[in-house]
Amino acid sequence: MLRLHYSPSNASMAPHIVLHELGVPFELAFVDRDRNEQRSPEYLRLNRNGTIPVLVDGDTVLHETAAILVHLADTHPEARLAPALGTPERGRFYTAMFWLSNTLQATLMSFYYPERWTDDGQAAAVEAVKRQAQRRTGQQLDVLEAEVQARGGPWVLGADFTVADPLAFMLCRWTRNFDPAVAAPARTRPGLRDWLTRVLARPSVQRVLADEKLPQPWI
């Protein structure tokens, strides 16, 4: 049985949504970040980076959210959560997944963990990194909105819901408490707001919000 190591509202949210989309049996393994369980010897045997999530699929152990999502889509082709291999649509899918994980998610990590890019005790530098990361995220959200509008919806890549939608939804959700004076949250952009509302309404997303006991605002 599939087993997802997760923590509420973390990068495990997108795979959690996809598991419900698939409707397959799976187990959740809670990783208590308050107790630093992601750095425990047991967890590091699964993922030496000590990051969340990890998906165990039989003898296959995966980490990195986007990799997990593509794996789930490819091992459950009947769900049609990714375009067919070798098609132009598949190429656009890869572009979206890599951009979301390597660009937007990476910038958000700078916002949430600015101390990783500064020396100890450099409070002003921490704030500068965080502020610049928020500004940069705002610019990237503008790009994402333009792409969504260009595709014509209703989903990130156009007509079909794919695993790119939960990934983008999760990342946009992480902007919900942004300071509008620096860069506005994703939900304030009309094109993204409509798409976020559609994703939020999916039963899989509502199930995850309940499973992870996440308070509002959800987006």
Side-chain angles (χ1 to χ4, degrees):
M1 182 182 292
L2 295 163
R3 184 178 179 86
L4 178 67
H5 295 256
Y6 84 107
S7 186
S9 200
N10 275 230
S12 50
M13 185 183 195
H16 193 180
I17 291 169
V18 170
L19 287 167
H20 281 300
E21 286 282 342
L22 294 174
V24 296
F26 69 92
E27 298 176 341
L28 290 175
F30 172 58
V31 182
D32 191 341
R33 294 190 62 186
D34 291 338
R35 299 175 60 185
N36 217 29
E37 286 183 351
Q38 74 276 17
R39 291 292 177 181
S40 68
E42 294 78 14
Y43 193 84
L44 291 174
R45 279 195 286 271
L46 296 172
N47 178 6
R48 293 185 183 90
N49 298 291
T51 56
I52 302 167
V54 163
L55 180 76
V56 180
D57 182 2
D59 294 331
T60 302
V61 179
L62 299 102
H63 53 88
E64 299 299 323
T65 299
I68 292 171
L69 295 174
V70 174
H71 174 79
L72 288 172
D74 286 349
T75 52
H76 299 84
E78 70 284 354
R80 300 177 63 86
L81 292 179
L85 289 170
T87 63
E89 292 78 14
R90 184 71 176 206
R92 288 193 287 271
F93 169 74
Y94 285 139
T95 298
M97 295 297 287
F98 279 93
W99 183 85
L100 288 166
S101 59
N102 291 354
T103 302
L104 182 55
Q105 185 170 352
T107 305
L108 281 162
M109 290 298 97
S110 298
F111 173 77
Y112 280 103
Y113 303 101
E115 67 280 355
R116 295 177 180 175
W117 283 265
T118 63
D119 294 328
D120 292 342
Q122 298 292 316
V126 167
E127 287 305 312
V129 170
K130 185 172 183 178
R131 187 167 56 253
Q132 181 59 28
Q134 185 176 341
R135 288 198 188 101
R136 181 64 177 153
T137 299
Q139 295 166 356
Q140 292 163 359
L141 290 174
D142 291 340
V143 171
L144 179 60
E145 179 175 42
E147 287 292 322
V148 170
Q149 291 176 327
R151 299 293 176 206
W155 308 112
V156 163
L157 294 179
D160 297 323
F161 182 89
T162 69
V163 296
D165 288 283
L167 178 57
F169 175 85
M170 177 187 77
L171 299 176
C172 286
R173 182 178 177 275
W174 289 354
T175 73
R176 66 194 182 281
N177 295 320
F178 268 14
D179 178 359
V182 180
R187 66 177 179 273
T188 65
R189 292 162 170 79
L192 291 183
R193 181 178 62 244
D194 294 344
W195 162 76
L196 283 166
T197 301
R198 286 191 289 272
V199 178
L200 183 62
R202 293 183 75 90
S204 61
V205 176
Q206 290 296 313
R207 180 70 181 274
V208 168
L209 294 172
D211 287 350
E212 299 191 6
K213 299 180 174 61
L214 300 180
Q216 294 199 45
W218 289 325
I219 57 174

